[in-house]
Amino acid sequence: VEIKRKIEEALRRAAELDASRITVEANGSEVILRGTVRSWAEREEAEQAAWRAPGVTKVDNRIRIEV
């Protein structure tokens, strides 16, 4: 729960991202990102935000790009 909350906060702080379009699922130290973004750069930024959360050991980035 703590990891999920920290990642969601980081996504909201990221200027390029529309955090409402991304969902975070945390299972222990493993994180799954889902949703849609507008570019590869946004997808990458979301993944980096997830990795920066303390305790994360795996990020499964399932975010899709919708132009």
Side-chain angles (χ1 to χ4, degrees):
V1 175
E2 184 70 12
I3 287 176
K4 178 178 173 3
R5 190 176 57 76
K6 287 193 179 304
I7 294 170
E8 287 170 343
E9 287 173 0
L11 292 175
R12 282 194 294 275
R13 283 193 306 269
E16 298 298 313
L17 293 175
D18 181 356
S20 66
R21 296 174 57 176
I22 300 170
T23 59
V24 179
E25 208 176 292
N27 184 4
S29 62
E30 296 184 4
V31 175
I32 300 173
L33 300 175
R34 301 179 202 268
T36 57
V37 292
R38 292 177 296 272
S39 69
W40 281 102
E42 287 184 33
R43 185 180 189 275
E44 193 65 27
E45 186 171 356
E47 183 171 335
Q48 290 306 313
W51 275 115
R52 283 192 293 270
V56 171
T57 59
K58 179 182 175 190
V59 175
D60 183 357
N61 188 346
R62 300 184 187 175
I63 296 173
R64 294 183 325 277
I65 294 157
E66 289 185 359
V67 184

Coordinates of all heavy atoms in Angstrom, one line a residue:
V1 N 0.8 -1.2 0.0 CA 0.0 0.0 0.0 C 0.9 1.3 0.0 O 0.6 2.2 -0.7 CB -1.0 0.0 1.2 CG1 -1.7 1.3 1.3 CG2 -1.9 -1.2 1.2
E2 N 1.9 1.2 0.8 CA 2.8 2.4 0.9 C 3.5 2.6 -0.5 O 3.6 3.8 -0.9 CB 3.9 2.1 2.0 CG 4.8 3.3 2.2 CD 4.1 4.5 2.9 OE1 3.0 4.4 3.4 OE2 4.8 5.5 2.9
I3 N 4.0 1.5 -1.1 CA 4.7 1.7 -2.4 C 3.7 2.3 -3.4 O 4.1 3.2 -4.2 CB 5.3 0.3 -2.9 CG1 6.5 -0.1 -2.1 CG2 5.6 0.4 -4.4 CD1 7.1 -1.4 -2.4
K4 N 2.5 1.7 -3.5 CA 1.5 2.2 -4.4 C 1.2 3.7 -4.2 O 1.2 4.5 -5.2 CB 0.2 1.4 -4.2 CG -1.0 1.8 -5.1 CD -2.1 0.9 -4.7 CE -3.5 1.2 -5.3 NZ -3.7 2.2 -6.2
R5 N 1.1 4.1 -3.0 CA 0.8 5.5 -2.7 C 2.0 6.4 -3.1 O 1.8 7.5 -3.7 CB 0.5 5.7 -1.2 CG 0.0 7.1 -0.8 CD -0.3 7.2 0.7 NE 0.8 6.9 1.5 CZ 1.8 7.7 1.8 NH1 1.8 8.9 1.2 NH2 2.8 7.4 2.6
K6 N 3.2 6.0 -2.8 CA 4.4 6.8 -3.2 C 4.5 6.9 -4.7 O 4.8 8.0 -5.2 CB 5.7 6.2 -2.6 CG 5.8 6.3 -1.1 CD 7.2 6.0 -0.6 CE 7.3 6.2 0.8 NZ 7.0 7.5 1.3
I7 N 4.2 5.9 -5.4 CA 4.3 5.9 -6.9 C 3.2 6.8 -7.4 O 3.5 7.7 -8.3 CB 4.2 4.5 -7.5 CG1 5.5 3.7 -7.1 CG2 4.1 4.6 -9.0 CD1 5.4 2.3 -7.5
E8 N 2.0 6.7 -6.9 CA 0.9 7.6 -7.4 C 1.2 9.1 -7.1 O 1.0 9.9 -8.0 CB -0.4 7.2 -6.7 CG -1.0 5.9 -7.2 CD -2.1 5.4 -6.4 OE1 -2.3 5.8 -5.2 OE2 -2.8 4.5 -6.9
E9 N 1.9 9.4 -6.0 CA 2.3 10.7 -5.7 C 3.3 11.2 -6.7 O 3.3 12.3 -7.1 CB 2.8 10.8 -4.2 CG 1.7 10.7 -3.2 CD 2.3 10.6 -1.8 OE1 3.6 10.7 -1.6 OE2 1.5 10.5 -0.8
A10 N 4.3 10.3 -7.0 CA 5.3 10.7 -7.9 C 4.8 11.0 -9.3 O 5.2 11.9 -10.0 CB 6.4 9.6 -8.0
L11 N 3.8 10.2 -9.7 CA 3.1 10.3 -11.0 C 2.4 11.7 -11.1 O 2.4 12.4 -12.1 CB 2.2 9.2 -11.3 CG 2.8 7.8 -11.6 CD1 1.7 6.8 -11.7 CD2 3.7 7.8 -12.8
R12 N 1.8 12.1 -10.0 CA 1.1 13.3 -9.9 C 2.0 14.5 -10.0 O 1.7 15.6 -10.5 CB 0.2 13.4 -8.7 CG -1.1 12.7 -8.8 CD -2.1 13.0 -7.7 NE -1.7 12.6 -6.4 CZ -1.9 11.4 -5.9 NH1 -2.5 10.5 -6.6 NH2 -1.4 11.1 -4.7
R13 N 3.2 14.3 -9.4 CA 4.2 15.4 -9.5 C 4.9 15.6 -10.8 O 5.5 16.6 -11.1 CB 5.3 15.1 -8.4 CG 4.9 15.5 -7.0 CD 6.1 15.5 -6.1 NE 6.9 14.3 -6.1 CZ 6.7 13.2 -5.3 NH1 5.7 13.2 -4.4 NH2 7.5 12.2 -5.4
A14 N 4.9 14.5 -11.6 CA 5.6 14.5 -12.9 C 4.8 15.4 -13.9 O 3.7 15.1 -14.2 CB 5.7 13.1 -13.5
A15 N 5.4 16.5 -14.3 CA 4.7 17.5 -15.1 C 4.2 17.0 -16.4 O 3.2 17.5 -16.9 CB 5.7 18.7 -15.3
E16 N 4.9 16.1 -17.0 CA 4.5 15.6 -18.4 C 3.4 14.6 -18.3 O 2.8 14.3 -19.4 CB 5.7 14.9 -19.1 CG 6.9 15.9 -19.3 CD 6.5 17.0 -20.2 OE1 5.9 16.8 -21.2 OE2 6.8 18.2 -19.8
L17 N 3.0 14.1 -17.2 CA 2.1 13.0 -17.1 C 0.7 13.4 -16.7 O 0.5 14.2 -15.8 CB 2.6 11.9 -16.1 CG 3.9 11.2 -16.5 CD1 4.3 10.3 -15.4 CD2 3.7 10.4 -17.8
D18 N -0.3 12.7 -17.3 CA -1.7 12.8 -16.8 C -1.9 11.6 -15.9 O -2.2 10.5 -16.4 CB -2.6 12.8 -18.0 CG -4.1 13.0 -17.6 OD1 -4.3 13.0 -16.3 OD2 -4.9 13.0 -18.4
A19 N -1.6 11.8 -14.6 CA -1.7 10.7 -13.7 C -3.0 10.0 -13.6 O -3.1 8.8 -13.2 CB -1.2 11.1 -12.3
S20 N -4.1 10.7 -13.9 CA -5.4 10.1 -13.8 C -5.6 9.0 -14.9 O -6.5 8.1 -14.8 CB -6.5 11.1 -14.0 OG -6.4 11.7 -15.3
R21 N -4.7 8.9 -15.9 CA -4.8 7.9 -16.9 C -3.9 6.7 -16.6 O -3.9 5.8 -17.4 CB -4.4 8.5 -18.3 CG -5.4 9.6 -18.7 CD -5.0 10.3 -19.9 NE -4.8 9.4 -21.0 CZ -4.5 9.8 -22.3 NH1 -4.4 11.0 -22.5 NH2 -4.4 8.9 -23.2
I22 N -3.3 6.7 -15.5 CA -2.4 5.6 -15.1 C -2.8 5.0 -13.8 O -3.0 5.7 -12.9 CB -0.9 6.1 -15.0 CG1 -0.4 6.7 -16.3 CG2 0.0 5.0 -14.6 CD1 0.9 7.4 -16.3
T23 N -2.9 3.6 -13.8 CA -3.2 3.0 -12.5 C -1.9 2.2 -12.1 O -1.2 1.7 -12.9 CB -4.4 2.0 -12.7 OG1 -4.1 1.0 -13.7 CG2 -5.6 2.7 -13.1
V24 N -1.8 2.2 -10.8 CA -0.6 1.5 -10.2 C -1.2 0.3 -9.3 O -2.1 0.5 -8.5 CB 0.1 2.5 -9.2 CG1 1.3 1.8 -8.5 CG2 0.6 3.7 -10.0
E25 N -0.6 -0.8 -9.6 CA -0.9 -2.0 -8.8 C 0.3 -2.5 -8.2 O 1.3 -2.7 -8.8 CB -1.4 -3.1 -9.8 CG -2.4 -4.1 -9.4 CD -2.8 -5.0 -10.5 OE1 -3.5 -4.5 -11.4 OE2 -2.4 -6.2 -10.5
A26 N 0.3 -2.6 -6.9 CA 1.5 -3.1 -6.1 C 1.2 -4.4 -5.5 O 0.2 -4.6 -4.8 CB 2.0 -2.0 -5.1
N27 N 2.1 -5.4 -5.7 CA 2.0 -6.7 -5.0 C 3.4 -6.9 -4.3 O 4.3 -7.3 -4.9 CB 1.8 -7.8 -6.1 CG 1.6 -9.1 -5.4 OD1 1.6 -9.2 -4.2 ND2 1.5 -10.1 -6.3
G28 N 3.4 -6.5 -3.0 CA 4.7 -6.5 -2.3 C 5.6 -5.5 -2.9 O 5.3 -4.3 -3.1
S29 N 6.8 -5.9 -3.4 CA 7.8 -5.0 -4.0 C 7.7 -4.9 -5.5 O 8.5 -4.3 -6.2 CB 9.2 -5.4 -3.6 OG 9.5 -6.7 -4.1
E30 N 6.7 -5.6 -6.1 CA 6.5 -5.7 -7.5 C 5.4 -4.7 -7.9 O 4.3 -4.7 -7.3 CB 6.3 -7.1 -8.0 CG 7.5 -8.0 -7.8 CD 7.3 -9.4 -8.3 OE1 6.3 -9.6 -9.0 OE2 8.2 -10.2 -8.1
V31 N 5.6 -4.0 -9.0 CA 4.6 -3.0 -9.4 C 4.2 -3.2 -10.8 O 5.0 -3.6 -11.7 CB 5.3 -1.6 -9.3 CG1 4.3 -0.5 -9.8 CG2 5.6 -1.3 -7.9
I32 N 2.9 -3.1 -11.1 CA 2.3 -3.1 -12.5 C 1.7 -1.8 -12.8 O 0.9 -1.3 -12.0 CB 1.3 -4.2 -12.6 CG1 1.8 -5.6 -12.3 CG2 0.7 -4.2 -14.1 CD1 0.8 -6.7 -12.3
L33 N 2.2 -1.2 -13.9 CA 1.6 0.1 -14.4 C 0.7 -0.2 -15.5 O 1.1 -0.9 -16.5 CB 2.7 1.0 -14.8 CG 3.8 1.4 -13.8 CD1 4.8 2.2 -14.4 CD2 3.1 2.1 -12.6
R34 N -0.5 0.4 -15.5 CA -1.5 0.2 -16.6 C -2.0 1.6 -17.0 O -2.0 2.5 -16.2 CB -2.6 -0.7 -16.2 CG -2.3 -2.1 -15.8 CD -3.5 -2.8 -15.4 NE -3.2 -4.0 -14.6 CZ -3.0 -5.2 -15.0 NH1 -3.0 -5.5 -16.3 NH2 -2.8 -6.2 -14.1
G35 N -2.6 1.7 -18.2 CA -3.3 2.9 -18.6 C -2.8 3.3 -19.9 O -2.2 2.5 -20.7
T36 N -3.0 4.6 -20.2 CA -2.6 5.1 -21.5 C -1.8 6.5 -21.3 O -2.1 7.2 -20.4 CB -3.8 5.4 -22.5 OG1 -4.7 6.2 -21.8 CG2 -4.5 4.1 -22.8
V37 N -0.9 6.7 -22.2 CA -0.2 8.0 -22.3 C -0.1 8.4 -23.7 O -0.5 7.6 -24.6 CB 1.3 7.9 -21.7 CG1 1.2 7.6 -20.2 CG2 2.1 6.8 -22.3
R38 N 0.5 9.6 -24.0 CA 0.5 10.1 -25.3 C 1.8 9.9 -26.1 O 1.9 10.1 -27.3 CB 0.2 11.6 -25.3 CG -1.3 11.9 -24.9 CD -1.6 13.4 -24.8 NE -0.8 14.0 -23.7 CZ -1.2 14.1 -22.5 NH1 -2.3 13.6 -22.1 NH2 -0.5 14.7 -21.6
S39 N 2.9 9.4 -25.4 CA 4.2 9.3 -26.0 C 5.0 8.3 -25.3 O 4.8 7.9 -24.1 CB 4.9 10.6 -26.1 OG 5.3 11.0 -24.8
W40 N 6.1 7.8 -26.0 CA 7.1 6.9 -25.4 C 7.7 7.6 -24.2 O 8.1 7.0 -23.2 CB 8.1 6.5 -26.4 CG 7.6 5.4 -27.3 CD1 7.1 5.5 -28.6 CD2 7.4 4.0 -26.9 NE1 6.7 4.3 -29.0 CE2 6.9 3.3 -28.0 CE3 7.7 3.2 -25.8 CZ2 6.6 2.0 -28.1 CZ3 7.4 1.9 -25.8 CH2 6.9 1.3 -26.9
A41 N 8.0 8.9 -24.3 CA 8.6 9.7 -23.3 C 7.8 9.6 -22.0 O 8.3 9.5 -20.9 CB 8.9 11.1 -23.7
E42 N 6.5 9.8 -22.1 CA 5.6 9.7 -21.0 C 5.6 8.3 -20.3 O 5.6 8.2 -19.1 CB 4.2 10.1 -21.3 CG 4.0 11.6 -21.6 CD 2.5 11.9 -21.9 OE1 1.6 11.3 -21.3 OE2 2.3 12.9 -22.7
R43 N 5.6 7.3 -21.2 CA 5.6 6.0 -20.7 C 6.9 5.7 -19.9 O 6.9 5.1 -18.8 CB 5.5 5.0 -21.9 CG 5.4 3.5 -21.5 CD 5.3 2.7 -22.8 NE 5.0 1.3 -22.5 CZ 5.9 0.4 -22.2 NH1 7.2 0.7 -22.1 NH2 5.5 -0.8 -21.9
E44 N 8.0 6.2 -20.4 CA 9.3 6.0 -19.8 C 9.3 6.8 -18.5 O 9.8 6.3 -17.5 CB 10.4 6.5 -20.7 CG 11.8 6.2 -20.3 CD 12.1 4.7 -20.3 OE1 11.4 3.9 -21.1 OE2 12.9 4.2 -19.6
E45 N 8.8 8.0 -18.5 CA 8.7 8.8 -17.2 C 7.9 8.1 -16.1 O 8.3 8.1 -15.0 CB 8.2 10.2 -17.5 CG 8.2 11.1 -16.3 CD 7.9 12.5 -16.6 OE1 7.6 12.9 -17.8 OE2 7.9 13.3 -15.7
A46 N 6.8 7.5 -16.5 CA 6.0 6.8 -15.5 C 6.8 5.6 -14.9 O 6.7 5.4 -13.7 CB 4.7 6.3 -16.2
E47 N 7.5 4.9 -15.8 CA 8.3 3.8 -15.3 C 9.4 4.2 -14.4 O 9.6 3.6 -13.3 CB 8.8 3.0 -16.5 CG 9.6 1.7 -16.0 CD 10.0 0.8 -17.2 OE1 9.4 0.8 -18.2 OE2 11.0 0.1 -17.0
Q48 N 10.1 5.3 -14.7 CA 11.1 5.8 -13.9 C 10.6 6.3 -12.5 O 11.2 6.0 -11.5 CB 11.9 7.0 -14.6 CG 12.7 6.5 -15.8 CD 13.7 5.4 -15.4 OE1 14.4 5.5 -14.4 NE2 13.7 4.4 -16.2
A49 N 9.4 6.8 -12.5 CA 8.8 7.3 -11.3 C 8.5 6.1 -10.4 O 8.7 6.1 -9.2 CB 7.5 8.0 -11.5
A50 N 8.1 5.0 -11.0 CA 7.8 3.7 -10.2 C 9.1 3.2 -9.6 O 9.2 2.8 -8.5 CB 7.1 2.7 -11.1
W51 N 10.2 3.2 -10.4 CA 11.5 2.6 -10.0 C 12.0 3.5 -8.8 O 12.7 2.9 -8.0 CB 12.5 2.6 -11.1 CG 12.4 1.3 -11.9 CD1 12.1 1.3 -13.3 CD2 12.7 0.0 -11.5 NE1 12.1 0.0 -13.7 CE2 12.5 -0.8 -12.6 CE3 13.1 -0.6 -10.3 CZ2 12.6 -2.2 -12.6 CZ3 13.2 -2.0 -10.3 CH2 13.0 -2.8 -11.4
R52 N 11.7 4.8 -8.8 CA 12.3 5.6 -7.7 C 11.6 5.4 -6.4 O 12.2 5.8 -5.4 CB 12.2 7.1 -8.1 CG 13.2 7.5 -9.2 CD 13.3 9.0 -9.3 NE 12.1 9.6 -9.9 CZ 11.9 9.7 -11.2 NH1 12.8 9.4 -12.1 NH2 10.8 10.3 -11.7
A53 N 10.5 4.7 -6.3 CA 9.8 4.5 -5.1 C 10.7 3.5 -4.3 O 11.2 2.5 -4.8 CB 8.4 3.9 -5.3
P54 N 10.9 3.8 -3.0 CA 11.7 2.9 -2.2 C 11.1 1.5 -2.1 O 9.9 1.3 -1.9 CB 11.7 3.5 -0.8 CG 10.9 4.8 -0.9 CD 10.3 4.9 -2.2
G55 N 12.0 0.5 -2.2 CA 11.5 -0.9 -2.0 C 11.1 -1.6 -3.3 O 10.8 -2.8 -3.2
V56 N 11.0 -0.9 -4.4 CA 10.5 -1.6 -5.6 C 11.6 -2.4 -6.2 O 12.7 -2.0 -6.4 CB 10.1 -0.5 -6.7 CG1 9.8 -1.1 -8.0 CG2 8.9 0.3 -6.2
T57 N 11.3 -3.7 -6.5 CA 12.2 -4.6 -7.1 C 11.9 -5.0 -8.5 O 12.7 -5.5 -9.2 CB 12.3 -5.9 -6.3 OG1 11.1 -6.6 -6.3 CG2 12.8 -5.6 -4.9
K58 N 10.7 -4.8 -9.0 CA 10.3 -5.1 -10.3 C 9.2 -4.1 -10.8 O 8.3 -3.9 -10.0 CB 9.8 -6.5 -10.4 CG 9.3 -7.0 -11.8 CD 8.8 -8.4 -11.8 CE 8.2 -8.7 -13.1 NZ 7.5 -10.0 -13.1
V59 N 9.3 -3.7 -12.0 CA 8.2 -2.8 -12.6 C 7.8 -3.5 -13.9 O 8.6 -3.6 -14.8 CB 8.7 -1.4 -12.9 CG1 7.7 -0.6 -13.6 CG2 9.1 -0.7 -11.6
D60 N 6.5 -3.8 -14.0 CA 6.0 -4.4 -15.2 C 5.1 -3.2 -15.9 O 4.1 -2.9 -15.4 CB 5.1 -5.6 -14.8 CG 4.5 -6.2 -16.1 OD1 4.7 -5.8 -17.2 OD2 3.8 -7.2 -15.9
N61 N 5.7 -2.6 -16.9 CA 5.1 -1.5 -17.5 C 4.2 -1.9 -18.6 O 4.7 -2.3 -19.7 CB 6.2 -0.5 -18.0 CG 5.6 0.8 -18.5 OD1 4.4 0.9 -18.7 ND2 6.5 1.8 -18.7
R62 N 2.9 -1.9 -18.4 CA 1.9 -2.3 -19.4 C 1.2 -1.1 -19.9 O 0.1 -1.2 -20.5 CB 0.9 -3.3 -18.8 CG 1.6 -4.5 -18.3 CD 0.6 -5.5 -17.7 NE 1.2 -6.6 -17.1 CZ 0.6 -7.6 -16.5 NH1 -0.7 -7.6 -16.4 NH2 1.3 -8.6 -15.9
I63 N 1.7 0.1 -19.8 CA 1.1 1.3 -20.3 C 1.1 1.3 -21.8 O 2.2 1.0 -22.4 CB 1.8 2.6 -19.7 CG1 1.7 2.6 -18.2 CG2 1.3 3.8 -20.4 CD1 2.5 3.7 -17.5
R64 N 0.0 1.7 -22.4 CA -0.1 1.8 -23.8 C 0.0 3.2 -24.3 O -0.3 4.1 -23.6 CB -1.5 1.2 -24.3 CG -1.7 -0.2 -24.0 CD -3.0 -0.8 -24.6 NE -4.1 0.2 -24.5 CZ -4.9 0.4 -23.4 NH1 -4.6 -0.3 -22.3 NH2 -5.9 1.2 -23.4
I65 N 0.4 3.4 -25.5 CA 0.6 4.7 -26.1 C -0.6 4.9 -27.1 O -0.8 4.1 -28.0 CB 1.9 4.9 -26.8 CG1 3.0 4.8 -25.8 CG2 2.0 6.2 -27.6 CD1 4.3 4.4 -26.1
E66 N -1.3 6.0 -26.8 CA -2.4 6.4 -27.7 C -2.2 7.8 -28.2 O -2.1 8.7 -27.4 CB -3.8 6.3 -26.9 CG -4.2 4.9 -26.6 CD -5.6 4.9 -26.0 OE1 -6.2 5.9 -25.7 OE2 -6.1 3.8 -25.7
V67 N -2.0 7.9 -29.5 CA -1.7 9.2 -30.0 C -3.0 10.0 -30.3 O -4.0 9.4 -30.7 CB -0.9 9.0 -31.3 CG1 -0.4 10.4 -31.9 CG2 0.3 8.2 -31.1

